[in-house]
Amino acid sequence: MPHVFVETNWLFAYAAPAHHQVPAAVDLLYRARLGEFTMHAPNICFGEARQAILTKCQPRSEADAIRRYLTWAQPSGHVTDADATAARVVLNKFESSIKRDLANLDHTLQALARLPCLEIFGLDDAMLDRATELALAGIAPKPFDHAILAGVLVRASRLWDAGERTISFCESDSDLQPWDKNGNAKPPLRNAFDRAHVWVCADFTLTQPQRRADFE
């Protein structure tokens, strides 16, 4: 059975309000539920994703910017009364939809946590020790990234030692991708993934970059 690791950015892409969702993130879980692979996620990512969604997906700032524009544009004749009325109706629906999704966020995350195709794991002593090593080696710039990366590397190595193969990590965060913006390898990070037999994918489709036939 192949294994696919995900972290906070996948949870955000899946569980955020509808217009923030990434279809490929939703499809990834659908594929896992069909039995194509097992997904794995560090438990600390759930709290981080919840906070990020509640902070970044609030509708007020987006909606108010358009309302301020309408307040200026309608009297000046740049927007007709009918268009302004229609826009305000859409804005109200927009806010209501997002508020409803945010109110259901905990239920969404709890439902994810109960799925048998998504294995959620806590950080143990070996992972925390590895996180310290990564930090001292200057691999991954952010403290939370150290913990997530350590969890993925240690758990992936254990899967490999248990005879599991085809281990991947969906990582859209450039900080944890083993290549820079020009596609050049970051040797310390690349070596860490290679030693753990983890193929890193740049999105949630598991196609980019294409897995090398000789990787394992």
Side-chain angles (χ1 to χ4, degrees), residues 152-153 156 167-169 190 193-194 196-200 211 215:
V152 170
L153 294 174
I167 303 170
S168 305
F169 181 29
R190 169 63 71 191
F193 282 121
D194 286 351
H197 307 280
V198 176
W199 184 260
V200 181
R211 193 184 197 93
F215 178 66

Side-chain angles (χ1 to χ4, degrees), residues 5-6 9-10 13 19-20 29 39 48 58 67 75 78 87 89 91-92 98-99 103 111 168 181 197-198 207 211:
F5 283 83
V6 295
N9 51 40
W10 177 80
H19 73 292
H20 286 283
L29 181 63
M39 295 176 65
E48 186 184 31
Q58 293 294 335
R67 288 194 178 97
H78 288 77
V89 170
L91 286 173
N92 289 336
I98 294 180
K99 288 177 180 178
S168 305
K181 63 181 180 181
H197 307 280
V198 176
T207 61
R211 193 184 197 93

